Structures are given as structure tokens and as C-alpha cells.
Amino acid sequence: MRLIAAMLAGAALASSSLAAATGVAPDQSHFDCGQLAEAPSPESAEGWYERSLWANHCYVFQARAVRIGADGVRTLALSHEIQEGIEREVARFLDGPAVMFERQGRIARLGDMAQEGALSASPAAIVNHLDGLYRLQLSGEDRIAGRRATRLDIEPLDDRRYGHRLWLDTATALPLKQMLLDRQGRAIETFQITELRAPRLHRGRVGLAPGKAVSDTPWRPGWLPEGFVAQPVTTHGRQRPGVSHRVYGDGLATLSLFIEPLEARELLIPGIHRLGVSHAAVLHRELGGRPRQVMAMGELPPDVLRRVVESVEWPAPGAAAEAGEGAP
């Protein structure tokens, strides 16, 4: 669920992991949330972000929030529960069309991001992956939703991704406010908690999802921004016949790539399309001996998405395995 998951993205951890900081290492199927109560207060920007990633999984809460973006201002009701190690998140819009998003499951593991010896849950994999892609910096304190907050700036080290600014609750490390920033540092979207109702640390374990294989397709992107690696794809509902889909992420930004035949369907106009805070680059190309529609979607600069769709290759059968990603 993007509205809450946008607050769960990762940052680099150059020093120790949470397990090392607490002296307690989780097993490969669960994470003990009680470790958060015992862990010392973070001292670095990386430490604060790592704590916030785990806090998002381990705190039970209800909240009210506001989202300000290209489609105007929307208010939401949010909740996060844990039952028998399974998380359940719900986001419900309180104005405009009645829309509700729900996610239920275990902590996902990210493909190709875990390093040997690192905790294989998403937060640990993320914090080890983003070093060299973003710069993290603490920028003082503020007051958000009546609570003391620590500000964390996340600045990309190239022009192929957007920046983020976070305000983390000092008591829990839960994100109280997040801003997505364009290349000029202007806010594209602001997501802010206006009321956080008595967050409670779950004194049990949260399950880690089994590892999933990355989807196999006969095509591949010939170019991706540095740090973007293939991720497992979970498709909800029925997918149109002939559509193939791959997902790539750098631990903070996500890129979805779709390819489908042009025949017998309503086509999208080639070019750049605005989809709320995201963009989509669409191109019609001859691939695999057929005309196809190629579409890349994500919270990335439009020219980056355009370069991705232009780079897609459909190697002949028996061609060499997929080349390394992230070429300049």
C-alpha cells in the first residue's frame, strides 16, 4: 500500500545493524519487536532511519493524516495492527471518492539487496543497499502533530532519483511527515500525520516473508539507474493476457516496467503521462517480432523513465544472460 509504504522506504546504514546494536540477532523467520525497547537512542542519521523502518513494522497505532499532491489535498484514516505475527495496514480516504487500501502479510524480503551476514528482512537489506546512492543528514528538531520530531534529509547523489525529507517521532521513530522533492528541491508531495493516537510497541514477534523469485521474462531493460535491482512481483487480481511485468528498486524508489502486445486493446498515447505523484513513460516498439507497448512507471524524473523504456531489449533465444544493471 503506497500511502503507508511510502513512509517505509530505506536509507543507507554504514555502521552496525539493529541486531548488533541490541546484541540480539533475530532468526530467519521472525523479528522480535521487543528489541526496539532495549535499543539505545540513535545517534546518526543512518541509525534514525533504520529505527524508523523497524518502528513501522512494530508499532500498533491509529492515525489521521493529510496528503498534499498534484491532485489536491486529501485526508486519510490510517491504522496498523499485528495479529499472530501478521501485519495489517489500512488507509482510507475521508474525502472525495471512497477509496480504501489494505495490506496484510509479513515483512517482505527484497531481492538482490541482502548482503552476506546482514539481516534478511527488508529494513536491514535496504539500509545496506543505499550507501552511495543517497546522503542522509540530521537537520534539527521540530514539532509535528503535537509531538517532538527529528528531521532527516535524504539527498540523492545523482540526478536520476528524487530526494526525501522526513520528520521522525523522537519517542517511537515513526514517520510523522514526509516530503518528496524534485531535482530543484521543490515539494512534489507532502504526507503528514495530523493525529497519532497512543502508538503501542508490539511486545512480540513479526513474521518475515519467505524469499520470492524474481519474475522471468524474455525481455530485459538495457539500462537502469545505478542501484536499481530486480524485485519479486506480487500481482493482485487478474492480469490482462499477454502482459508481462517486472519491478526494480533502489531501496527507496521503485520502478515498474510493463510490456504487452498492441493488438486488440485500447492503446496509451506514447509519451510522458502524469499519474498523481508518479509519471509513466510509454513507447510503442517492435520487440520479439511483434509491435508492443512498453511502459515504465515510478516516482522518478520523466527523462529517466523515458530512457528505461527506450533501452528495453528482447534478446534472441539462447542469448547471453541478462547484463549487469545500472550502467551509466
Side-chain angles (χ1 to χ4, degrees):
M1 181 174 58
R2 200 202 66 80
L3 293 173
I4 295 180
M7 311 295 284
L8 307 182
L13 178 63
S15 54
S16 61
S17 70
L18 179 64
T22 60
V24 180
D27 61 34
Q28 291 299 302
S29 60
H30 293 85
F31 174 73
D32 183 2
C33 290
Q35 294 183 75
L36 294 179
E38 304 169 4
S41 179
E43 297 182 355
S44 66
E46 293 82 5
W48 268 107
Y49 206 80
E50 184 188 16
R51 179 73 64 87
S52 78
L53 294 174
W54 288 114
N56 273 288
H57 292 296
C58 287
Y59 275 88
V60 175
F61 65 86
Q62 293 185 335
R64 291 289 187 269
V66 61
R67 192 200 73 182
I68 306 171
D71 56 349
V73 179
R74 302 290 300 274
T75 55
L76 305 98
L78 310 175
S79 67
H80 182 259
E81 303 171 350
I82 303 172
Q83 295 289 338
E84 298 182 351
I86 303 297
E87 294 182 80
R88 181 174 181 264
E89 297 175 306
V90 177
R92 179 165 48 89
F93 283 105
L94 301 178
D95 48 22
V99 179
M100 184 182 79
F101 297 91
E102 178 177 347
R103 185 191 73 85
Q104 183 168 316
R106 296 176 172 85
I107 301 175
R109 305 171 193 254
L110 299 185
D112 295 334
M113 288 190 182
Q115 298 178 5
E116 185 177 355
L119 182 64
S120 59
S122 287
I126 291 170
V127 296
N128 282 292
H129 182 77
L130 286 190
D131 188 22
L133 302 177
Y134 297 88
R135 179 183 298 110
L136 278 72
Q137 180 177 344
L138 295 176
S139 301
E141 294 187 352
D142 209 333
R143 187 168 177 266
I144 305 292
R147 301 177 68 93
R148 184 179 163 206
T150 297
R151 175 175 152 180
L152 174 63
D153 292 342
I154 304 176
E155 177 188 356
L157 297 180
D158 59 31
D159 62 354
R160 294 169 179 170
R161 61 205 91 216
Y162 290 142
H164 296 254
R165 188 171 296 157
L166 298 176
W167 285 259
L168 306 178
D169 182 31
T170 302
T172 65
L174 286 168
L176 298 175
K177 181 177 179 179
Q178 173 170 309
M179 297 178 68
L180 180 67
L181 307 174
D182 67 12
R183 288 165 166 167
Q184 289 72 45
R186 299 171 299 197
I188 301 172
E189 181 184 58
T190 299
F191 185 95
Q192 180 172 329
I193 299 293
T194 57
E195 181 184 3
L196 181 62
R197 299 177 182 173
R200 174 179 59 84
L201 181 63
H202 177 63
R203 295 289 180 161
R205 300 191 300 177
V206 178
L208 307 183
K212 294 183 178 180
V214 173
S215 60
D216 187 24
T217 61
W219 51 268
R220 66 192 183 197
W223 178 86
L224 289 168
E226 181 183 0
F228 276 76
V229 295
Q231 301 298 309
V233 176
T234 300
T235 302
H236 300 281
R238 181 177 299 176
Q239 187 166 274
R240 291 191 303 272
V243 177
S244 56
H245 177 206
R246 296 191 73 173
V247 174
Y248 300 86
D250 69 356
L252 190 58
T254 302
L255 164 69
S256 291
L257 194 53
F258 299 85
I259 294 187
E260 57 187 305
L262 295 184
E263 299 91 340
R265 68 174 304 269
E266 185 177 350
L267 302 179
L268 295 175
I269 299 173
I272 299 295
H273 300 261
R274 183 70 178 265
L275 303 172
V277 68
S278 300
H279 286 90
V282 178
L283 190 64
H284 297 167
R285 297 181 53 194
E286 184 84 13
L287 289 170
R290 297 178 63 182
R292 302 177 192 269
Q293 177 169 276
V294 184
M295 179 171 64
M297 298 174 55
E299 296 176 4
L300 293 166
D303 59 303
V304 172
L305 297 173
R306 181 184 296 111
R307 183 173 176 183
V308 171
V309 296
E310 290 174 347
S311 77
V312 171
E313 305 167 346
W314 195 297
E322 185 168 331
E325 297 167 351

